[in-house]
């Protein structure tokens, strides 16, 4: 109904990435056959990059339909989420960015705006740094440029967690409830049965995801602020307890004149799920403000 279908891109032997892609870019396969890419996107491309606790279609369920009328919307599942996987040993955000860029190119995407949430925001920043000609603009929510040792230690201590994997890879209903209570501004009520199903479906590939978290943290002294040519809009839940507003304001100053900040009241880390109508309105306003470029994908 939102106008997207799942499609798996084989990047190379041993590495495949799943995407939700616009219906009009895939052919209608005969019975028993897989669809193939028949066309490049015809509208400006928006790529929605998910966070660590859920795959793409769950993370962006309230945004896809809202955007698909005016934009060609692509929703990837990063490596070790939603059927995407690799036999490579590397677990860095740079690898995620490289695979995402390669997958988009195979789908006919030459230029796009990235919308990244949490872990997906870090991947989006890295993709914009590595492939500036592909990324025209960035919208980032609840994320930072890089997870340094100092930020990681301060965040975990403040939240009362022993490690990021303890918080982000819960193994019990109690652990999942703790994660949701920290991530949301208002208490979310779900029956335990739903929590159990969510744990079973969304927290697969635990070993590889723990390695992703380990690969995320870098030494504080190794931090460099790239000079991004793109416009960057920081769209934040004002009550975000994981990456607080202060971090966003500091990041805006570090990023320079191309960066803007917008806060959404009565919303936490899961701002796009807690207040989707407000989030979508802010997102659409930013997308509409981008200068027109010749060509369908601009």
């Amino acid at each position: 109904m939102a106008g997207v279908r799942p499609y798996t891109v084989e990047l190379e032997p041993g590495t495949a990435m799943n995407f939700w892609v616009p219906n009009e870019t895939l052919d209608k396969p005969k019975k028993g056959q897989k669809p193939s890419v028949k066309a490049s996107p015809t509208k400006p491309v928006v790529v929605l990059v998910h966070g660590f606790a859920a795959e793409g279609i769950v993370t962006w369920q309230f945004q896809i339909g809202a955007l698909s009328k005016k934009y060609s919307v692509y929703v990837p599942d990063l490596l070790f989420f939603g059927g995407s996987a690799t036999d490579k040993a590397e677990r860095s955000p740079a690898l995620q960015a490289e695979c995402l860029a390669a997958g988009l190119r195979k789908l006919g995407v030459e230029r796009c705006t990235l919308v990244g949430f949490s872990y997906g925001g870090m991947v989006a920043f890295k993709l914009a740094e590595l492939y500036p000609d592909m990324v025209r603009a960035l919208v980032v929510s609840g994320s930072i440029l890089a997870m340094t040792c100092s930020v990681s230690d301060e965040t975990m201590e403040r939240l009362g967690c022993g490690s990021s994997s303890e918080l982000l890879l819960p193994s019990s209903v109690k652990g999942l409830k703790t994660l949701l209570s920290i991530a949301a501004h208002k208490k979310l009520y779900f029956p335990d049965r739903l929590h159990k199903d969510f744990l079973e479906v969304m927290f697969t590939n635990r070993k590889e995801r723990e390695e992703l978290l380990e690969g995320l943290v870098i030494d504080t002294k190794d931090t460099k602020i790239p000079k991004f040519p793109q416009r960057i809009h920081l769209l934040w839940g004002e009550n975000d307890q994981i990456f607080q507003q202060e971090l966003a304001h500091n990041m805006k100053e570090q990023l320079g004149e191309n960066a803007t900040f917008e806060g959404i009241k009565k919303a936490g880390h899961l701002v796009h799920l807690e207040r989707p109508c407000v989030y979508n309105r802010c997102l659409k306003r930013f997308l509409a403000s981008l200068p027109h470029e010749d060509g369908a994908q601009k």
Side-chain angles (χ1 to χ4, degrees):
M1 288 177 66
V4 293
R5 280 193 285 166
Y7 182 78
T8 299
V9 178
E10 184 174 350
L11 303 176
E12 58 184 70
T15 302
M17 185 169 272
N18 182 65
F19 287 80
W20 290 81
V21 306
N23 286 335
E24 64 271 16
T25 65
L26 299 179
D27 62 12
K28 291 184 179 179
K30 294 178 181 178
K31 192 172 181 180
Q33 294 183 337
K34 294 181 179 180
S36 60
V37 178
K38 70 172 183 178
S40 295
T42 56
K43 294 175 280 191
V45 174
V46 176
V47 180
L48 304 174
V49 192
H50 65 82
F52 210 84
E55 59 193 44
I57 201 74
V58 175
T59 300
W60 301 108
Q61 57 187 293
F62 298 128
Q63 281 69 51
I64 299 167
L67 295 173
S68 58
K69 184 176 180 181
K70 287 190 175 182
Y71 302 95
S72 291
V73 180
Y74 288 77
V75 186
D77 289 323
L78 297 173
L79 297 174
F80 303 114
F81 296 85
S84 300
T86 184
D87 57 7
K88 294 177 184 290
E90 187 182 348
R91 297 287 183 262
S92 69
L95 177 66
Q96 296 277 22
E98 289 162 5
C99 289
L100 179 50
L104 289 169
R105 287 204 178 100
K106 281 182 176 283
L107 292 168
V109 175
E110 297 173 3
R111 194 148 160 81
C112 64
T113 296
L114 296 174
V115 183
F117 163 67
S118 198
Y119 176 66
M122 298 179 215
V123 174
F125 273 129
K126 184 56 69 174
L127 200 155
E129 177 188 353
L130 296 175
Y131 304 98
D133 292 338
M134 174 178 264
V135 180
R136 76 175 294 207
L138 280 153
V139 178
V140 173
S141 298
S143 187
I144 51 179
L145 281 159
M147 180 65 84
T148 62
C149 296
S150 58
V151 170
S152 177
D153 292 345
E154 186 278 327
T155 302
M156 291 306 110
E157 183 178 349
R158 176 167 45 78
L159 296 176
C161 298
S163 67
S164 56
S165 59
E166 179 186 319
L167 174 66
L168 296 172
L169 287 172
S171 56
S172 65
V173 168
K174 182 181 178 182
L176 179 56
K177 286 181 176 179
T178 298
L179 172 58
L180 292 174
S181 69
I182 290 171
H185 173 55
K186 290 185 177 179
K187 186 175 181 179
L188 303 174
Y189 173 77
F190 299 112
D192 282 355
R193 177 71 254 177
L194 186 57
H195 283 101
K196 289 176 183 175
D197 288 347
F198 193 88
L199 277 170
E200 183 179 332
V201 174
M202 288 295 150
F203 291 96
T204 56
N205 299 315
R206 285 180 173 271
K207 174 180 176 292
E208 291 83 1
R209 292 196 197 180
E210 281 190 19
E211 293 167 352
L212 289 176
L213 288 173
E214 290 169 5
L216 200 57
V217 180
I218 62 171
D219 198 303
T220 305
K221 67 176 183 292
D222 293 335
T223 308
K224 292 182 180 178
I225 309 299
K227 186 162 177 61
F228 292 98
Q230 303 94 341
R231 278 184 62 189
I232 300 172
H233 192 52
L234 307 176
L235 186 53
W236 233 257
E238 290 190 358
N239 304 98
D240 193 329
Q241 293 303 304
I242 296 178
F243 293 123
Q244 296 177 316
Q245 265 199 101
E246 182 184 354
L247 274 175
H249 287 298
N250 291 341
M251 185 164 58
K252 176 184 176 295
E253 295 305 311
Q254 292 174 325
L255 291 169
E257 60 184 16
N258 284 345
T260 50
F261 172 87
E262 187 171 12
I264 294 178
K265 296 182 184 300
K266 299 179 182 177
H269 191 62
L270 298 173
V271 56
H272 56 293
L273 294 172
E274 287 192 276
R275 304 209 63 193
C277 294
V278 179
Y279 186 91
N280 293 349
R281 191 159 60 242
C282 297
L283 178 56
K284 286 179 179 179
R285 187 163 57 233
F286 175 77
L287 293 172
S289 73
L290 296 173
H292 176 77
E293 296 178 346
D294 293 332
Q297 292 192 52
K298 313 304 187 185

